[in-house]
Amino acid sequence: MIKRQYLFPPKMTTKHLFCAPVFTLLACQAHALECGYDVTNDWGSGFTAGITVTNDGTSAVNNWQVQWQQNGGSAVTGLWNATFSGTNPYTATDAGWNATIAPGSSVSFGFQGEGDDPTAIILSCTAGGASSSSSSSSSSSSSSSSSSSSTSSSASSSSSSSGSSNTSTAVIQEGEGLCSVEGTIDSNNAGYTGSGFANTENAAGKGVEWSVAAQGGNYQMQWRYANGSSADRPGDVFVNGALQTSSAFGSTGGWTTWVDSSAVSINLADGINTIRLQASSSEGLANIDSLSVTGASPDSAACNNSSSSSSSSSSSGGPLSTLTVQENTAGFCGVDGSVNNNEAGFTGGGFANTTNAVNTSVNWAVDATTAGYYDMTLRFANGSGAARSGVLTVTSGASVSYDITFATTGAWSTWATEIMPIFLNAGKNVITLTATGDSGLANIDYLSLTGSSGLRGVVCPAASATVWLAGDSIVQTYTDTSSTRDQAGWGQMLREQYNTNVTVNNLAIGGRTARRFIEEGRLDTIWSNASTGDYLLLQFGTNDSHRTATYVIDGVTIPYYLDPQTDFKDYLKLYIDGARNRGIHVGLVTPTPRNSAYCTGGNGTGAWAQAMRELADEEGVPLIDLNLKTVTFLTAICPAPIPENFFFLRADGSVDGTHFQENGARILSGFVADGIGEAVLGLDYFRN
């Protein structure tokens, strides 16, 4: 049984082709609507967002309607420029005056919501009465009897035109596009097409996966199936890890009697999509002969991953890799109990033995280069006389939960494996296995993941994080008045990028260099107050590049200038070595450009930024390349915006090309947080 919540990006665009009637999918005058969702403001406990409906067709559309669903339990509290109804999913209809959308034109409506998750999924866009709702249509279908370990197969697809130049149907059988069957590919029941049919194990949670290329938008799906049992064998339909709809798969009266299921409407992303049909009852699925996908030029696609126990090359052409996390390797975060080695047969340094109590857990953290399904293996021993159950939760923004049962193995030295597919998002994923019974969990020897290359164990998240900032005026915190044009540093705004479990201590102050910050005792203040596991981010270079400026300490005149290839690197190494000696995570932030401008992206601190890049590589230190991100940002803005809302404005109204006002500092703090995620620092776990 799977309980799913999937995080969609703050910006999402879907395209829908509408013909009437929608399920006929024959040649017709098509209206192409593009619906885009955009978060315009997010303050943690609430947000504002908007949806834009664009007519990409050749004739006007009327009476538009959009249905969408907010993620993470967030709710809409008010809406403008449309009429809305419903309680998640919501439906917005035109306000009358904006009912008609001319070709190439668009209308927008906005709304305010409450909750900490501003993201959403657009379920349908309609106009002129043609509906494309992604809720399921009535359906009847089902599954077969078989038991087997998960296997991988490669499949073939055919494409048939439905009569419109924009609409076609891809039929996926046992070739490219069929990625895995948690059961077997059989050929013992007559009437199937292709080389066989998918026969899943008779258990809830078992399923079949396909890989489908799409242009993005609403598509219709049908399965050719046989169900010789007397009862429905329902299945849930997941797209890229998100539950979108379900289908009943009613009895067909015999395992050699094949029918097409009723069509269900789903939304596919632009690009490669992972489709999973998963049994929701203990009988498993119907036997599945083929999957048909109808819409804007769908096609089968190479699979990201298939079942395997070691690094290999998949039949679909994509490389596979396996990550095994033992109790003594990166990625193992801990156990509510102990790591023992008193039972024979374990691998690695021992096994995780939870306390015999409900809600005790084992935790792991892994980083995935590619989002998708991965085959997870848990090696376990259960010497008790009864099964021990748990729930496995994968957290990466949203949470996905899977029920899991560890059957008795007869002895604590007898080991078995439990294999199941889980969905990982790109980036850091925290995996938690929690006991749901009073006896705790089985003993866990290791967790193994097989799928797309790029898996690795990473630093485990703490319950909270403390960040220390060392830097200059670009980073420092300034007095905040009611004006949005106040001077501000990115360190002042960094706290907004993370949840309430993060504390930011900003010791940055203007006019400091990597040397002066140390000489004035500011680094000693950090060492005196920081704890093992804290984070230190340092940005210098803005003042270190001054060739003539000086400062005075104890009557001694000292130059600001530090040669980027010698002195500058030497002083930065004092920060790095000090952090390492204290168990503090350190990250180098390259300086924003000095005296920069739009269009050209002038880079007066480029040599010092390059020195930090080189030092990070030499010392194996995470790098947040704020310099590159800022130069790229400024170069892309041409001409300069009016009014100015990025750089700080001097008293005479001129633009300061080095310092920033609040909006600019907030943008920079987002760049820094992005870089922290790209460097796979554990701090990223707390990102809003």
Side-chain angles (χ1 to χ4, degrees):
M1 176 180 178
I2 293 183
K3 316 171 191 88
R4 261 181 212 281
Q5 181 187 46
Y6 189 74
L7 183 65
F8 280 82
K11 284 190 176 183
M12 184 185 76
T13 301
T14 59
K15 287 189 176 181
H16 302 272
L17 293 174
F18 296 113
C19 305
V22 70
F23 288 120
T24 303
L25 294 170
L26 297 175
C28 61
Q29 177 72 37
H31 299 297
L33 289 187
E34 179 179 295
C35 293
Y37 179 94
D38 186 16
V39 176
T40 55
N41 195 12
D42 177 13
W43 53 91
S45 61
F47 59 92
T48 56
I51 293 178
T52 299
V53 184
T54 301
N55 180 6
D56 287 339
T58 57
S59 59
V61 297
N62 299 287
N63 304 321
W64 54 265
Q65 178 176 290
V66 180
Q67 187 179 50
W68 78 99
Q69 181 170 323
Q70 298 295 144
N71 291 325
S74 295
V76 174
T77 58
L79 183 144
W80 50 92
N81 292 341
T83 302
F84 88 110
S85 60
T87 54
N88 210 25
Y90 300 97
T91 299
T93 57
D94 64 82
W97 56 270
N98 58 358
T100 300
I101 309 177
S105 299
S106 62
V107 298
S108 299
F109 63 91
F111 51 90
Q112 181 169 324
E114 59 183 10
D116 59 7
D117 187 349
T119 63
I121 179 172
I122 296 176
L123 300 177
S124 67
C125 268
T126 66
S131 172
S132 71
S133 170
S134 68
S135 59
S136 64
S137 57
S138 65
S139 158
S140 65
S141 280
S142 212
S143 165
S144 117
S145 72
S146 164
S147 166
S148 172
S149 60
S150 175
T151 62
S152 160
S153 105
S154 62
S156 67
S157 75
S158 62
S159 176
S160 63
S161 172
S162 59
S164 167
S165 60
N166 293 313
T167 301
S168 62
T169 298
V171 179
I172 304 177
Q173 295 177 319
E174 295 74 31
E176 182 180 77
L178 177 61
C179 299
S180 67
V181 179
E182 286 153 15
T184 56
I185 300 291
D186 293 340
S187 58
N188 58 325
N189 293 322
Y192 62 85
T193 60
S195 60
F197 55 87
N199 181 3
T200 65
E201 296 180 45
N202 293 342
K206 301 300 182 181
V208 186
E209 291 181 16
W210 297 266
S211 185
V212 176
Q215 294 183 4
N218 186 261
Y219 287 75
Q220 306 298 312
M221 264 186 196
Q222 286 183 293
W223 289 267
R224 188 173 189 265
Y225 76 96
N227 176 12
S229 68
S230 59
D232 289 357
R233 293 195 170 187
D236 292 326
V237 182
F238 295 87
V239 179
N240 300 325
L243 175 62
Q244 286 205 13
T245 186
S246 61
S247 191
F249 294 101
S251 174
T252 61
W255 293 109
T256 58
T257 302
W258 301 85
V259 300
D260 291 329
S261 70
S262 296
V264 296
S265 184
I266 62 169
N267 277 279
L268 298 181
D270 188 13
I272 307 301
N273 296 261
T274 299
I275 311 298
R276 178 174 174 83
L277 177 64
Q278 179 171 286
S280 56
S281 76
S282 61
E283 299 301 316
L285 289 171
N287 287 346
I288 303 298
D289 182 36
S290 63
L291 164 67
S292 297
V293 185
T294 300
S297 303
D299 200 359
S300 61
C303 302
N304 277 336
N305 40 38
S306 64
S307 299
S308 175
S309 59
S310 62
S311 295
S312 64
S313 177
S314 76
S315 60
S316 61
L320 296 179
S321 66
T322 294
L323 169 71
T324 299
V325 182
Q326 301 274 10
E327 288 73 18
N328 59 350
T329 62
F332 180 74
C333 300
V335 54
D336 294 331
S338 58
V339 175
N340 298 146
N341 58 8
N342 59 329
E343 301 289 351
F346 65 86
T347 61
F351 55 86
N353 180 9
T354 62
T355 303
N356 293 343
V358 69
N359 293 328
T360 54
S361 64
V362 187
N363 299 276
W364 302 267
V366 300
D367 182 81
T369 301
T370 305
Y373 281 100
Y374 292 75
D375 288 328
M376 182 200 69
T377 300
L378 287 170
R379 189 170 189 260
F380 71 95
N382 179 9
S384 68
R388 294 192 173 186
S389 60
V391 61
L392 186 113
T393 303
V394 182
T395 303
S396 178
S399 294
V400 182
S401 296
Y402 308 81
D403 291 335
I404 189 168
T405 300
F406 299 102
T408 180
T409 59
W412 292 108
S413 58
T414 301
W415 299 85
T417 57
E418 181 70 24
I419 303 174
M420 64 189 301
I422 65 173
F423 191 89
L424 300 181
N425 279 314
K428 190 169 188 175
N429 296 260
V430 177
I431 302 173
T432 303
L433 177 63
T434 305
T436 55
D438 294 336
S439 298
L441 293 169
N443 289 345
I444 304 298
D445 184 30
Y446 62 71
L447 174 143
S448 179
L449 294 164
T450 297
S452 297
S453 57
L455 288 165
R456 61 173 175 158
V458 293
V459 175
C460 301
S464 61
T466 300
V467 183
W468 299 86
L469 302 179
D472 49 36
S473 57
I474 307 304
V475 188
Q476 90 171 66
T477 297
Y478 295 81
T479 301
D480 185 18
T481 71
S482 59
S483 173
T484 59
R485 297 200 171 189
D486 288 336
Q487 185 172 351
W490 65 254
Q492 179 178 343
M493 302 299 182
L494 187 64
R495 176 65 192 78
E496 297 177 2
Q497 298 293 329
Y498 298 96
N499 64 30
T500 56
N501 294 317
V502 172
T503 300
V504 176
N505 298 301
N506 190 2
L507 274 69
I509 190 165
R512 270 54 188 179
T513 65
R515 173 170 55 192
R516 186 179 180 184
F517 194 90
I518 294 174
E519 291 174 335
E520 292 180 343
R522 296 180 183 277
L523 183 57
D524 285 337
T525 300
I526 294 177
W527 297 151
S528 298
N529 292 278
S531 301
T532 299
D534 286 359
Y535 294 85
L536 171 62
L537 304 179
L538 54 143
Q539 178 198 296
F540 292 102
T542 303
N543 300 302
D544 309 72
S545 59
H546 274 297
R547 291 186 176 271
T548 58
T550 60
Y551 60 94
V552 177
I553 295 181
D554 296 332
V556 179
T557 300
I558 304 170
Y560 273 73
Y561 183 78
L562 292 176
D563 182 88
Q565 288 299 317
T566 56
D567 297 337
F568 184 60
K569 285 185 176 180
D570 289 342
Y571 277 101
L572 291 179
K573 286 178 69 175
L574 296 177
Y575 295 81
I576 295 170
D577 293 342
R580 284 174 167 166
N581 292 338
R582 294 166 173 81
I584 295 170
H585 308 291
V586 63
L588 301 183
V589 183
T590 57
T592 55
R594 182 186 175 125
N595 297 326
S596 188
Y598 301 103
C599 305
T600 64
N603 195 1
T605 59
W608 288 261
Q610 182 59 27
M612 295 185 86
R613 295 182 190 109
E614 294 169 359
L615 184 62
D617 184 61
E618 295 163 5
E619 295 290 323
V621 174
L623 179 77
I624 295 94
D625 203 343
L626 181 58
N627 179 274
L628 177 61
K629 292 178 183 292
T630 308
V631 170
T632 301
F633 173 79
L634 292 172
T635 303
I637 300 176
C638 196
I642 300 175
E644 172 61 48
N645 66 351
F646 184 72
F647 287 115
F648 180 61
L649 295 175
R650 301 185 182 96
D652 62 3
S654 62
V655 175
D656 179 333
T658 301
H659 300 93
F660 307 92
Q661 55 181 274
E662 288 185 1
N663 181 61
R666 188 168 281 113
I667 291 171
L668 294 179
S669 74
F671 290 163
V672 172
D674 290 344
I676 288 169
E678 292 160 4
V680 201
L681 280 167
L683 181 61
D684 188 56
Y685 174 72
F686 302 96
R687 183 90 184 263
N688 284 330

